[in-house]
Amino acid sequence: MLDYRSIARDVFNIEANAVRSLTESLGADFDDAVSRILELQARVIVCGMGKSGIIGKKIAATLASTGTPSFFMHPGEAYHGDLGMVTPEDVFVAISNSGETDEVLKLIPFLKDNGNYLVSMTGNRDSTLARASDSHLNIGVEEEACPLQLAPTASTTATLAMGDALAVTLMKAKGFQPEEFARFHPGGSLGRRLLARVDDEMEREELPFVESDASVTEVIQAMSRGRLGLAIVKTGSSYGVVTDGDVRRAVESYGVGIFEIRAVDFMSKDPITISVGTRVEDALQLMESRKITSVLVADKGVVVGVFKK
């Protein structure tokens, strides 16, 4: 019976060794490729066929999301018109493990005539593609994880790692910041934290306001109506807050006499308040530091919303 986990571990080891070997094969061509991209402030066009193309799409996506304008171009489509999208200032990254992929090699005459800087990723430094390149990044591996040595496995992992190395190096060279990453990922959690304002996400409709002389029953009714786990107490020109926890503590303190007290007697005075326009990130950091889950949002001293985690 096959030992499935043993097979999986062998795959992990082979692919880990493939990535580790990239450290030894990395040369000055990597520096040249990075420098050229930075010098031209260039778009990076990634091209590859088959499995190399699939990896190329991921590399292009990583570059684009980390501050280097990039897109993937299928070599077949390129040869039939998409080369019109390539400007002389673009850096062209061609991926082919053998370095002899016909669909990719057909593009070389155009790229040379167009004046493009050509970066190749191949497993054969003596291949046609590698020799035609301005910079060659060696992605050669000693063996594939595939037992038949046919399916690209370790070689595609190495290619992906090389692409990540290129993207991360460019990130650091450009001083790429989290705020910039968030701009390209507005739909993600980081985008929400860094780009969104509390105004965009706060609760503003039917806020659970009560007067300072409101009874406990009125406070609880307001809390149930608002469904925010709190009631906002108006005390002249300022505000207080009653939370679920405040109600429980009041019950423990006053017992049956709780129905004789008013909101002002057990509210939290001077609650933490933030201004409209505050970044979600800043609001969340404040709430985390104070170990609270809700905060009042004010506009010129008037509470206009409640922001919750």
Side-chain angles (χ1 to χ4, degrees):
M1 180 177 176
L2 289 174
D3 184 341
Y4 300 143
R5 280 180 286 174
S6 177
I7 295 172
R9 292 188 186 101
D10 287 343
V11 172
F12 297 152
N13 288 330
I14 291 170
E15 299 207 7
N17 288 335
V19 173
R20 193 174 297 110
S21 68
L22 295 179
T23 303
E24 301 172 1
S25 63
L26 196 65
D29 278 14
F30 184 86
D31 298 336
D32 294 340
V34 171
S35 297
R36 188 57 179 254
I37 294 170
L38 293 172
E39 175 190 337
L40 295 177
Q41 290 296 297
R43 298 185 306 172
V44 175
I45 301 174
V46 184
C47 182
M49 193 71 187
K51 304 298 188 298
S52 293
I54 294 170
I55 297 299
K57 289 179 182 179
K58 193 277 179 184
I59 292 173
T62 300
L63 287 165
S65 68
T66 54
T68 301
S70 179
F71 63 90
F72 176 79
M73 180 175 288
H74 189 283
E77 299 296 336
Y79 197 63
H80 289 279
D82 279 4
L83 286 174
M85 294 187 287
V86 183
T87 69
E89 293 76 23
D90 295 329
V91 171
F92 202 91
V93 177
I95 305 173
S96 167
N97 189 45
S98 67
E100 302 294 344
T101 304
D102 185 60
E103 293 88 346
V104 175
L105 296 183
K106 285 181 177 179
L107 306 180
I108 294 175
F110 169 85
L111 297 171
K112 293 297 184 182
D113 183 67
N114 203 41
N116 293 105
Y117 191 90
L118 177 58
V119 179
S120 65
M121 292 188 187
T122 84
N124 181 1
R125 66 178 70 248
D126 296 320
S127 64
T128 302
L129 179 58
R131 293 197 308 270
S133 303
D134 298 293
S135 291
H136 173 246
L137 306 182
N138 187 2
I139 53 169
V141 299
E142 291 187 5
E143 61 176 327
E144 298 285 7
C146 168
L148 303 177
Q149 296 302 300
L150 295 175
T153 45
S155 58
T156 49
T157 300
T159 307
L160 187 61
M162 183 64 77
D164 286 344
L166 184 63
V168 171
T169 302
L170 288 165
M171 278 181 70
K172 292 188 175 183
K174 293 179 177 183
F176 192 75
Q177 297 300 311
E179 290 78 9
E180 296 172 274
F181 186 86
R183 286 184 61 234
F184 302 142
H185 299 75
S189 59
L190 182 61
R192 170 182 177 261
R193 291 179 68 109
L194 294 178
L195 295 182
R197 306 289 168 171
V198 292
D199 320 31
D200 303 322
E201 302 189 14
M202 69 183 185
E203 300 290 340
R204 64 176 78 226
E205 302 296 332
E206 299 183 4
L207 295 177
F209 287 107
V210 296
E211 299 298 329
S212 60
D213 62 349
S215 67
V216 170
T217 300
E218 291 172 324
V219 170
I220 293 174
Q221 288 174 340
M223 293 172 67
S224 298
R225 184 177 64 252
R227 297 181 179 180
L228 297 175
L230 57 80
I232 307 168
V233 185
K234 294 181 180 179
T235 58
S237 60
S238 61
Y239 297 88
V241 166
V242 176
T243 66
D244 292 330
D246 292 325
V247 174
R248 289 194 300 272
R249 285 186 287 272
V251 170
E252 293 173 355
S253 298
Y254 293 96
V256 294
I258 190 172
F259 294 103
E260 304 299 323
I261 65 173
R262 300 297 166 183
V264 70
D265 298 321
F266 67 107
M267 71 180 187
S268 298
K269 299 178 180 179
D270 300 319
I272 297 173
T273 305
I274 58 176
S275 300
V276 293
T278 300
R279 293 190 315 167
V280 167
E281 167 69 4
D282 296 330
L284 290 173
Q285 286 187 358
L286 174 65
M287 294 162 71
E288 288 164 5
S289 67
R290 300 297 183 90
K291 294 181 171 57
I292 57 177
T293 58
S294 301
V295 64
L296 303 184
V297 182
D299 184 5
K300 298 178 181 177
V302 178
V303 172
V304 294
V306 175
F307 177 76
K308 295 178 67 67
K309 276 188 178 181

